[in-house]
Amino acid sequence: MKTIFSTLLFIVFLISSCQDDSKLRALEQEKENQKREIVFKNISKGWKFNTQPITASSQELTKDWAQWREFLSELEQQPKSTIGAFQQKAKTLSKKANELYNTIPSNYSYPGIKSRIEAIATKINSINLYIHLNPIRDKKIIPLIQEINIELNSFQNQLQEVDVKKQIKMEDGESDMLRMLDTTRAIPTSQPIIIH
């Protein structure tokens, strides 16, 4: 009789603990949903990229460089529905930003331009990382968006600088001097020079 009573008591205890467990899980799930909603609102407010060309050079480049145009188009489109949409957008932006470096037009293939593209890609990749972490680091994502806007302006200013430098005419003899400084044109020595 005692074993039956203790078994019944154990079953009642087990059932009541399972019910408490499901209530606790539901409460935790509700808290998690509220946190995700707050993160979604924060990211939605801060997800504003400055994609408007500020110089004539950047406007012209937007017409000629398809990958840059697609990247700017992706930046302009803000996800609206869920945090998952932001995660997908960050993944797409990261892919497009990484493609930019290898497709820079030859007339803008200078170290200053390349470094600005790398900086933009690095910051986009950081956003992609932070938005896929659990919990999502919205406090780190918002400042990165502002930094990307600064980098975009700096990139456009660098384009303008390249165009201004191209318009400066060379002085007489400058091209000869530059050719003489070119180490790839040096005469190769096939035999070592021995000094006696």
Side-chain angles (χ1 to χ4, degrees), residues 14-54:
L14 187 63
I15 291 173
S16 67
S17 69
C18 288
Q19 289 175 349
D20 289 342
D21 214 23
S22 65
K23 288 179 185 177
L24 186 62
R25 271 192 237 127
L27 188 61
E28 286 177 9
Q29 184 66 34
E30 181 63 31
K31 285 182 183 178
E32 186 64 32
N33 288 341
Q34 288 174 351
K35 284 181 187 176
R36 286 179 70 84
E37 187 64 31
I38 290 169
V39 167
F40 174 75
K41 286 179 182 176
N42 289 341
I43 292 175
S44 289
K45 276 193 269 182
W47 195 275
K48 292 179 176 65
F49 291 100
N50 183 14
T51 59
Q52 298 304 315
I54 59 172

Side-chain angles (χ1 to χ4, degrees), residues 59-77:
Q59 233 172 3
E60 190 63 34
L61 186 64
T62 304
K63 294 177 193 171
D64 298 337
W65 188 11
Q67 289 81 4
W68 178 249
R69 188 175 50 250
E70 290 170 9
F71 177 70
L72 290 179
S73 175
E74 282 293 329
L75 279 178
E76 283 178 347
Q77 300 167 9

Side-chain angles (χ1 to χ4, degrees), residues 134-151:
N134 192 11
I136 296 171
R137 308 284 197 273
D138 59 327
K139 301 288 188 247
K140 294 199 180 231
I141 292 172
I142 305 305
L144 278 170
I145 291 170
Q146 295 164 354
E147 290 175 22
I148 289 169
N149 285 332
I150 291 168
E151 291 296 336

